Amino acid sequence: MAKISFEFPDGSVKEFDQGVTTEDIAKSISISLAKKSVAGKIDGKMVEIDLPLEKGGKIEIVTKDTEDGLKVLRQTASQLLKAALADQFNNIQFGESTSDEDGFFVDTDKRDSQVSADELPQVEERINKMVSDNVKIERKVLSLEDALKQVDGDPYQAKLVNELAEDGQVVFYQIGDYLGLGEGVVLPEAKAVKEYKLLSVAGAYWEGKSSNPMLQRIFATAFYKKADLEEDLKRRQEAKERDHRVIGNKLDLFFVDPKVGAGLAYWMPNGATIRRVVERYIIDKELANGYQHVITPVLMNLDAYKTSGHWQHYREDMFPPMDMGDGEELELRPMNCPSHIQIFKHHIRSYRELPMRIAELGMMHRYEKSGALSGLQRVREMTLNDGHTFLRLDQIQDEFKKVLGLMVEVYKDFDIKNYHFRLSYRDPKNTEKYFDDEEMWSKSQSMLKGAMDDLGLDYVEAEGEAAFYGPKLDVQTYTAMGNEETLSTIQLDFMLPERFDLHYVGEDGEEHRPVMMHRGLVSTMERFIAYLIEVYKGAFPTWLAPKQVKVIPVSMEKYGDYAKKVNSKLAALGIRTSVDDRNEKMGYLIRDAQTNKIPYTIVVGESEMNSNQVSVRKYGEQDSESLSLDDFIKEIQEDISNYSREK
């Protein structure tokens, strides 16, 4: 029999008989390795553990404890899910199925009605039966012609077949009577899929385009160990309780309605109040740190974005230009940089004005695909806490340190602790996507690194994460689901001043080119408030809470006037307060205030009225405290002024 050679990750080379499987190779190394093996990777391409290999190459043995190994399990579970659905629903069609670090999903379509969450337990029963019977999963290779015949009548699968075909062949998997398209390597037996869970269903457009049919997406997850599944489900429950979309609905903070505009947030009074407090805080903070606040239009001539490079680099994320009919094309701005450049260019600038700090809560628009939209975290209209500083080369490091210091100050006020720094450089192997100036990149990257080292801060370095015009420092944090996202950024830019021909008059009376520093303290208002909702689980500190005090009279008829008097005095001091005058039992009104996570509930009755006192109950506490009205006012004012930090 012919021999084929494999090179292992350690550089060693071994010969095997042609037709050997990855499982056979693993067994030749050790029985324990074979037990952990779930697939092979030949020259970087995943193959089934039991697939006979006809050619040699570089080999990796994929085990259960790797990301690829977990992906194989989830792809196997995905195939079992499709087989179970096909068994339960005769008229079901399948769209995309994908596994990732968060689990897997299968898109489905039914002619009569979509799969409901109530039907998932029945689907699980069918999967359990396949697992307990250890149904075999057999790999089949069909010609493209036969594959299209197999999926005839299912337009989604027909398109996927054409996309997945290699050399005129398509992989399918046979599970009992079900023969389904393979969208990734799977295990040969169902018994491995013991620890799985069907999680939820949600609508998803075919291929993520709103012009396409809406399919039903079934979300699920799977693990090799029961403990890992239980830990994941626990994490998901915690995340669900912190999900800003769920809390936003319960507390009436905001809503997004695809019928009136997907990805466009409507801020209800409660949510608008939180946003207003954050915006006022940011503006006051920036003004105190030398920024000049401006307001610029959301529309701009398209030529500005061609000059800046945004049109060339981010065209797919921008809305189509508006033809004004006279040769002018206006664009909804995706970035505020060109607008602030116009502010700088409007006057002749002197070196004495530098560093010149310009800031704005600037509304922007980006064309996010429908499938990517999510509550306030991924929207099509957003307001960025944006700032641009124009400065001399010798001012860069000092300004960088000042901006970073301001960021840390802001994090402290919002009680943000779980973050880390990432220095983002260009990819030296893919320079085409970046501004072509080798000296600029070398100089600017070393400047940011030098500033971080001077400050003694820990950071990670990430090649390929820079903006197309310069390196940046990103401050990374985590959402309730554990996803990493950028909270703040400082970006150095030598390119835009060049493209827009910016200059200032130096001490020598000559024109010089400024450097531009982009920075955002807290990302967009939408994303930041989504983050705050999840961090605080809707129980906002007093200074941020949309309603800070609820005044409840024991009897509206007897003590309503005193309740209104207390309320008026608090309101006159800028405290967000209201009287609950509903004709309900006291216990219900107090519970309702707690449910709505109001920081202070005040109850007033005869003794409080006669002694000018209030009975105060803080959110999350069972006991009440009697205080004079003046003492309560002093306490809540201190609470607000110190950003609700512990004394």
Side-chain angles (χ1 to χ4, degrees):
M1 183 175 287
K3 299 287 186 179
I4 51 178
S5 297
F6 293 96
E7 181 184 342
F8 291 83
D10 64 359
S12 62
V13 177
K14 291 184 180 181
E15 275 194 347
F16 295 89
D17 289 337
Q18 190 176 44
V20 68
T21 67
T22 301
E23 186 175 25
D24 295 331
I25 295 173
K27 285 178 180 177
S28 74
I29 298 171
S30 73
I31 297 300
S32 61
L33 176 62
K35 288 180 178 179
K36 294 191 297 182
S37 302
V38 293
K41 192 181 279 188
I42 311 298
D43 292 332
K45 183 180 178 181
M46 295 280 286
V47 297
E48 289 82 355
I49 189 76
D50 61 345
L51 180 70
L53 303 174
E54 302 301 322
K55 295 181 180 179
K58 291 185 177 181
I59 186 170
E60 294 177 53
I61 296 175
V62 178
T63 55
K64 295 177 180 179
D65 54 357
T66 63
E67 287 185 17
D68 282 336
L70 188 56
K71 191 172 184 179
V72 169
L73 176 70
R74 289 172 175 173
Q75 286 167 175
T76 307
S78 173
Q79 288 295 135
L80 294 182
L81 173 56
K82 286 191 284 186
L85 289 166
D87 181 48
Q88 184 166 343
F89 307 107
N90 293 326
N91 60 347
I92 199 162
Q93 297 175 328
F94 296 113
E96 180 186 13
S97 63
T98 298
S99 64
D100 56 27
E101 68 279 357
D102 196 46
F104 65 94
F105 67 77
V106 172
D107 285 346
T108 66
D109 197 13
K110 283 173 60 191
R111 296 183 186 89
D112 46 4
S113 63
Q114 298 290 18
V115 178
S116 71
D118 293 339
E119 293 172 303
L120 294 185
Q122 299 170 39
V123 178
E124 282 190 344
E125 285 181 16
R126 283 172 161 78
I127 296 175
N128 291 339
K129 183 70 165 59
M130 286 186 275
V131 172
S132 63
D133 291 346
N134 194 21
V135 171
K136 304 303 177 189
I137 304 173
E138 190 177 351
R139 185 178 192 266
K140 303 276 188 179
V141 179
L142 276 60
S143 68
L144 178 58
E145 182 182 357
D146 288 342
L148 289 171
K149 287 179 182 177
Q150 177 63 32
V151 300
D152 185 39
D154 188 331
Y156 314 115
Q157 290 286 283
K159 185 163 188 183
L160 289 170
V161 162
N162 281 298
E163 291 175 355
L164 294 171
E166 289 186 18
D167 300 325
Q169 295 184 320
V170 187
V171 174
F172 277 68
Y173 291 107
Q174 185 86 48
I175 304 174
D177 294 332
Y178 171 75
L179 182 62
L181 176 63
E183 294 180 72
V185 168
V186 304
L187 292 162
E189 298 174 328
K191 67 179 181 181
V193 188
K194 292 179 181 177
E195 309 303 337
Y196 77 96
K197 182 66 179 175
L198 303 186
L199 299 167
S200 61
V201 297
Y205 290 112
W206 167 236
E207 296 182 322
K209 297 177 182 177
S210 58
S211 57
N212 284 344
M214 174 73 79
L215 307 184
Q216 189 79 324
R217 180 165 290 177
I218 301 176
F219 292 95
T221 193
F223 290 88
Y224 288 104
K225 297 178 181 178
K226 184 176 183 179
D228 291 339
L229 176 62
E230 289 176 346
E231 180 63 28
D232 183 69
L233 295 178
K234 183 179 177 182
R235 177 187 67 84
R236 288 177 186 276
Q237 181 58 36
E238 171 68 15
K240 185 177 180 181
E241 291 173 3
R242 291 184 181 273
D243 190 323
H244 79 280
R245 295 165 297 183
V246 176
I247 296 172
N249 182 56
K250 286 181 179 178
L251 300 184
D252 202 22
L253 303 179
F254 72 93
F255 70 87
V256 179
D257 187 348
K259 293 178 182 177
V260 292
L264 303 175
Y266 284 75
W267 295 85
M268 298 299 284
N270 287 341
T273 298
I274 298 168
R275 175 169 170 161
R276 187 166 57 250
V277 172
V278 172
E279 289 179 343
R280 286 174 177 170
Y281 166 88
I282 289 295
I283 291 173
D284 289 346
K285 205 70 158 172
E286 289 175 334
L287 291 174
N289 280 269
Y291 287 87
Q292 303 174 64
H293 258 263
V294 300
I295 300 174
T296 58
V298 296
L299 288 170
M300 200 173 200
N301 192 298
L302 180 61
D303 289 341
Y305 297 113
K306 290 181 178 178
T307 301
S308 69
H310 289 107
W311 183 248
Q312 294 89 323
H313 288 271
Y314 296 118
R315 185 172 182 173
E316 290 185 359
D317 298 323
M318 296 169 67
F319 279 89
M322 289 173 269
D323 189 342
M324 306 310 291
D326 56 0
E328 181 183 30
E329 288 185 295
L330 294 179
E331 177 68 29
L332 281 168
R333 68 178 175 194
M335 299 280 191
N336 301 313
C337 333
S339 300
H340 291 182
I341 284 172
Q342 300 310 312
I343 296 283
F344 181 86
K345 287 185 70 173
H346 190 62
H347 295 300
I348 296 172
R349 302 296 180 181
S350 164
Y351 71 94
R352 293 186 180 90
E353 297 178 74
L354 306 185
M356 181 179 177
R357 305 177 183 95
I358 296 172
E360 178 179 14
L361 293 171
M363 184 180 289
M364 312 183 306
H365 293 81
R366 295 182 187 171
Y367 182 68
E368 295 275 7
K369 291 183 178 180
S370 298
L373 298 173
S374 177
L376 295 176
Q377 286 172 336
R378 295 293 293 270
V379 290
R380 287 176 173 163
E381 179 183 272
M382 65 218 76
T383 299
L384 182 64
N385 161 227
D386 211 356
H388 295 91
T389 302
F390 301 87
L391 64 165
R392 303 191 311 265
L393 196 64
D394 62 309
Q395 296 173 323
I396 288 175
Q397 287 197 338
D398 283 345
E399 185 65 19
F400 179 85
K401 293 174 185 177
K402 286 178 182 177
V403 174
L404 191 54
L406 177 58
M407 284 180 175
V408 172
E409 205 175 296
V410 170
Y411 299 160
K412 182 181 178 183
D413 288 342
F414 284 98
D415 198 29
I416 298 170
K417 298 170 183 173
N418 186 19
Y419 62 88
H420 66 273
F421 299 109
R422 182 183 72 188
L423 271 180
S424 298
Y425 306 143
R426 71 166 177 170
D427 183 353
K429 298 175 183 176
N430 185 19
T431 56
E432 295 80 11
K433 64 179 281 192
Y434 302 101
F435 177 52
D436 186 16
D437 188 330
E438 189 70 33
E439 184 182 357
M440 179 278 285
W441 282 100
S442 177
K443 185 186 299 182
S444 56
Q445 289 180 176
S446 64
M447 280 182 173
L448 294 193
K449 179 175 172 58
M452 292 296 288
D453 290 340
D454 286 349
L455 291 168
L457 295 171
D458 293 330
Y459 59 89
V460 296
E461 297 175 282
E463 288 187 347
E465 295 295 328
F468 70 89
Y469 47 72
K472 58 179 179 171
L473 173 75
D474 291 323
V475 184
Q476 301 299 109
T477 188
Y478 298 90
T479 66
M481 283 297 288
N483 298 320
E484 184 177 337
E485 66 176 32
T486 302
L487 178 63
S488 310
T489 186
I490 309 173
Q491 303 174 356
L492 210 52
D493 186 353
F494 290 74
M495 184 195 78
L496 291 185
E498 184 78 29
R499 288 193 170 178
F500 283 93
D501 192 26
L502 302 186
H503 53 262
Y504 65 91
V505 179
E507 200 169 359
D508 57 2
E510 300 295 323
E511 289 186 350
H512 299 271
R513 187 81 69 203
V515 180
M516 195 172 171
M517 186 178 286
H518 309 245
R519 56 102 282 218
L521 294 181
V522 292
S523 185
T524 66
M525 290 299 102
E526 289 75 13
R527 181 170 287 185
F528 185 55
I529 291 172
Y531 172 78
L532 293 178
I533 291 171
E534 295 186 351
V535 165
Y536 296 127
K537 216 170 179 176
F540 292 95
T542 308
W543 77 284
L544 280 175
K547 294 175 181 175
Q548 297 168 323
V549 178
K550 177 71 74 175
V551 183
I552 302 174
V554 174
S555 165
M556 194 65 196
E557 182 181 350
K558 295 179 180 178
Y559 314 115
D561 288 343
Y562 180 62
K564 290 176 183 177
K565 175 186 171 183
V566 170
N567 190 71
S568 295
K569 190 166 184 178
L570 294 172
L573 295 170
I575 296 166
R576 296 185 289 277
T577 179
S578 63
V579 176
D580 196 332
D581 58 3
R582 291 176 294 172
N583 186 25
E584 298 285 354
K585 292 181 178 179
M586 180 66 56
Y588 171 83
L589 297 179
I590 292 173
R591 283 194 303 275
D592 187 61
Q594 292 284 301
T595 300
N596 285 286
K597 305 186 179 185
I598 297 171
Y600 292 92
T601 301
I602 289 178
V603 176
V604 294
E606 184 174 2
S607 62
E608 287 80 15
M609 182 177 68
N610 292 336
S611 57
N612 199 37
Q613 288 189 320
V614 289
S615 178
V616 181
R617 179 174 172 176
K618 294 180 182 179
Y619 172 74
E621 296 184 2
Q622 296 297 318
D623 299 328
S624 299
E625 180 184 14
S626 291
L627 295 172
S628 71
L629 181 55
D630 288 342
D631 283 346
F632 171 69
I633 289 172
K634 182 180 178 182
E635 179 179 320
I636 192 172
Q637 285 182 322
E638 286 181 358
D639 189 3
I640 293 168
S641 65
N642 71 5
Y643 303 110
S644 305
R645 289 193 288 256
E646 293 291 332
K647 294 181 181 178

